[in-house]
Amino acid sequence: MTPQHPEPTTDTPARPTGAAEPRDMTTGAADPRDVTTGAADPRDATVGAADPRDATTTAPAAADGARPATRPSGSAIRSAEVLVSSPDRNFVTLRITTEDGVVGLGDATLNGRELSVVSYLQDHVVPLLIGRDAHRIEDTWQFLYRSAYWRRGPVTMAAIAAVDVALWDIKARYAGMPLYQLLGGASRTGIMAYGHASGRDLPELFDSIRRHRELGFRSIRVQTSVPGIDAVYGVAAQPSSGGRYDYEPAQRAPLPAEEDWDTRAYLRHVPRVFEAVRNEFGPELPLLHDGHHRMTPIQAARLGKDLEPFDLFWLEDCTPAENQEALRLVRQHTTTPLAIGEVFNTVWDYQTIIREQLIDYVRSAVTHTGGITALRRILDFAAQYQIKSGIHGPTDISPVGMAAALHLDLAIHNFGIQEYMQHGRLTDEVFRQSFTFTDGFLHPGDEPGLGVVYDDDVADRFPYQPAYLPFNRLKDGTVHDW
């Protein structure tokens, strides 16, 4: 396989595997959201900070057992930095460094609500990490989940995920091997990915599908404009102040953009689109479609049934699944495979729909579901019911989160497919990656750890910018699901 991105730099032999380059320990950064040595913001967790809430290099013995009284000499966490940068879009990255100088990265990006996770990490999590043994991944996960009392939710689980992935990165760097080897080794030689084709009309859609096939994609998600609706999620060519709409619909503006929606028009149009695509490209090409939570259960059942002749790989997020029982009605009326879960955060969100086999693919992201430790448990649970993975992989998952997904994809047995949206050039400069994409298949690479290096010098050129995802209103002005 050929590298999709520049190879990360390697450490000198004198430094432990994954040890921090001099630039990995930022000093005096101007961005007040960064957790850095000498940061000006009193909320920042710093090395040797005066604020009693700040994390310090001296970790006192905790009477309640939260932190071990005797610190391990080399693998103790020396520092944890929350890094915010906006190349192409906003990303939140947690960087943990041990006393040995071994560095691990975790993704904490929550699109449109990024600074909520920054505060959660800076003010509440980082002070708890200093002095803990980086090797105790399971213990740290349970401590962060259970000790807060208030559990679950996207902010909490994104923060825990960032810590979890960073610790897995560190452990694999200590071991001198790619992370997937610590998860049991490879279960396959490559990871099948799907790309995102879209168009405002059929000729534009067909051109997009052809371009994706030329790029090597063997499976294609199809999204299209709908007559009578001005802007529809996932259609790249429609107007947007934020650039390519399907690349990053979160627009850099003080208020979210308002879009319109008409479910009846959508239900009439989409089956005709898939009929045309099948007539043009034949029966072999795996096709996917995202309903983006907009339908009621009975509407979703109708669409699933109408799409059966076109043999979809899956219909994604056909209805808001917070009400897990709603999927029973959909399942009763269609054999179209269902994928659910990109807005889910814990195994409890899946409990009913996995046990009752109401879905076929788990759509959660490593970044939003408590990390590798938690998502592996969900997928092991799903495997008992022949349900496969379909890990969320949009561009608001940073390359760190994407790399974590690929290592998990390669190791698990019940892999299904991986969403893959290529990041922009500036993002690839901030996050240097070792993973590859060749002939429709991804591979995380064989660099120690995740295979991702964060470049502070580039990242510091792109400060945080407020951005919001759009929202929908029906024709009568009612706010609807986007």
Side-chain angles (χ1 to χ4, degrees), residues 52 109 128 130 147 166 204 218 239 290 297 382 419 456-457:
T109 307
L128 304 176
I130 306 305
S147 68
E204 194 170 85
R218 302 180 181 212
D290 186 359
E419 180 178 19
D456 294 82
D457 293 336

Side-chain angles (χ1 to χ4, degrees), residues 214-245:
E214 290 169 359
L215 290 171
F217 286 101
R218 302 180 181 212
S219 304
I220 308 289
R221 191 188 80 167
V222 172
Q223 305 296 130
T224 179
S225 292
V226 177
I229 302 178
D230 292 335
V232 177
Y233 160 81
V235 180
Q238 63 194 352
S240 169
S241 63
R244 277 181 60 91
Y245 184 91

Side-chain angles (χ1 to χ4, degrees), residues 126-141:
V126 166
L128 304 176
L129 297 178
I130 306 305
R132 295 187 67 87
D133 186 352
H135 286 312
R136 298 183 63 176
I137 299 174
E138 177 68 23
D139 182 69
T140 300
W141 195 99

Side-chain angles (χ1 to χ4, degrees), residues 57-73 75-77 127-136 139-140 143:
T57 54
T58 303
D64 60 1
R67 184 182 290 115
T70 302
R71 290 172 52 186
S73 58
S75 59
I77 295 173
L128 304 176
L129 297 178
I130 306 305
R132 295 187 67 87
D133 186 352
H135 286 312
R136 298 183 63 176
D139 182 69
T140 300
F143 169 58

Side-chain angles (χ1 to χ4, degrees), residues 101-130:
V102 179
V103 174
L105 300 175
D107 180 22
T109 307
L110 188 62
N111 198 357
R113 297 293 186 271
E114 297 90 351
L115 297 187
S116 60
V117 190
V118 171
S119 176
Y120 192 101
L121 284 167
Q122 285 184 176
D123 297 334
H124 304 292
V125 173
V126 166
L128 304 176
L129 297 178
I130 306 305

